[in-house]
Amino acid sequence: MTDSWWLNPCKAVDTTTHEQALARQQQLTKPAGSLGQLEALAVRLAGLQGQVKPTVDHLWIAIFAGDHGVVAEGVSAFPQEVTGQMLQNFVTGGAAISVLARQLQAQLEVIDLGTVTPSLDLPGVRHLNIGAGTANFVHGPAMTQAQGQLALQAGRDSARRALESGAQLFIGGEMGIGNTTAASALACALLDCQVTDLTGPGTGLNAAGVSHKVAVIERALGLHAGQRSDALQTLFNLGGFEIAALVGAYLACAQEGIVVLVDGFICSVAALVAVR
């Protein structure tokens, strides 16, 4: 690895602005603390943005997509073709996030890291073709070092486009049939949790399906146990292209000083990897 950019330091929080924003809360015409968590959020945003009156008028939403080899183990209620179908839904305005983006006048970009659908070519989608989905991680690493670094860079590139556009808030999203299995495996590996504690039905498995999913993840954790202390290698072993791209985006945003909104289980696991 000649350029381990992901190890560069994060931009520091502006502590002076943070304190000024905190003091301002005491001067506003309202009972102290009456706005609850909104007050703490405003102060936190002020410190992150370096301005006493923070703003989130310009939003950047990036949806990263990729397929997962572990789907071959029967861990999903839906076929992998759904990933490609959802990509089309995103860019034609039919998905919930598409409607929300229009309502918020947010910039929405959709990035296909690598799906199993052959020759997918959708207008409005950035097709990067890192691979036809990841490999099945119960038999070996989900991705190669080269693929993992390309996925990280894809996230970084999105964050840089957000910065160039003047975005004040970066929101990451993901799409990939089977990616709750990958996210649960990653979280269990990094947090040393019982698989049953962090594994659910995903998009609709029944109880037997969840039990099978747990068993698949346990097999994968056993196979890759020797590298658990290395967060980056664990990401490459157990993650997905879209999860790795989210990790890259979060790291780049932290380095550039772009505020990030982390929403949902899979994005939270990506943030965990980024912190580690």
Side-chain angles (χ1 to χ4, degrees):
M1 297 184 188
T2 55
D3 176 23
S4 300
W5 63 266
W6 49 86
L7 297 178
N8 293 341
C10 301
K11 185 175 180 179
V13 174
D14 188 328
T15 55
T16 300
T17 303
H18 181 276
E19 293 303 317
Q20 290 172 345
L22 187 61
R24 180 173 177 269
Q25 287 296 322
Q26 312 310 314
Q27 299 165 358
L28 298 175
T29 308
K30 60 176 175 57
S34 62
L35 296 183
Q37 293 185 44
L38 284 175
E39 294 184 13
L41 180 59
V43 172
R44 184 178 177 89
L45 277 172
L48 292 171
Q49 292 186 344
Q51 52 187 19
V52 176
K53 295 182 180 181
T55 55
V56 285
D57 297 324
H58 303 293
L59 309 180
W60 184 277
I61 303 172
I63 301 175
F64 301 100
D67 276 318
H68 294 258
V70 72
V71 169
E73 301 297 321
V75 295
S76 175
F78 290 92
Q80 287 185 301
E81 289 76 18
V82 172
T83 303
Q85 293 167 5
M86 281 302 299
L87 286 175
Q88 185 168 16
N89 204 17
F90 292 139
V91 293
T92 55
I97 190 60
S98 310
V99 177
L100 290 169
R102 287 198 302 273
Q103 184 69 23
L104 296 168
Q105 297 183 316
Q107 178 70 39
L108 174 67
E109 74 166 6
V110 181
I111 303 166
D112 167 22
L113 285 306
T115 62
V116 298
T117 305
S119 304
L120 195 63
D121 184 13
L122 298 171
V125 175
R126 291 178 179 268
H127 294 287
L128 302 186
N129 300 316
I130 291 175
T134 56
N136 187 345
F137 60 52
V138 300
H139 301 307
M143 63 191 89
T144 65
Q145 295 282 325
Q147 288 176 321
Q149 290 182 36
L150 285 172
L152 288 171
Q153 185 63 45
R156 187 191 195 191
D157 291 343
S158 179
R160 286 180 163 177
R161 288 191 292 273
L163 182 67
E164 290 169 2
S165 79
Q168 297 158 327
L169 184 69
F170 182 99
I171 303 172
E174 41 64 36
M175 178 61 214
I177 295 300
N179 63 4
T180 59
T181 300
S184 292
L186 267 174
C188 289
L190 294 177
L191 297 173
D192 197 23
C193 287
Q194 293 294 318
V195 177
T196 50
D197 291 340
L198 289 177
T199 304
T203 49
L205 292 175
N206 59 21
V210 174
S211 295
H212 174 66
K213 185 175 175 180
V214 166
V216 169
I217 293 172
E218 287 175 339
R219 284 170 57 198
L221 291 175
L223 177 66
H224 302 290
Q227 295 175 305
R228 273 196 188 189
S229 60
D230 185 333
L232 188 66
Q233 188 57 52
T234 297
L235 170 65
F236 295 167
N237 286 343
L238 298 170
F241 295 148
E242 81 285 28
I243 298 175
L246 281 166
V247 173
Y250 292 156
L251 288 168
C253 283
Q255 292 165 352
E256 299 289 352
I258 308 171
V259 179
V260 166
L261 173 65
V262 179
D263 173 52
F265 175 63
I266 295 162
C267 290
S268 295
V269 173
L272 169 65
V273 177
V275 170
R276 290 292 176 88

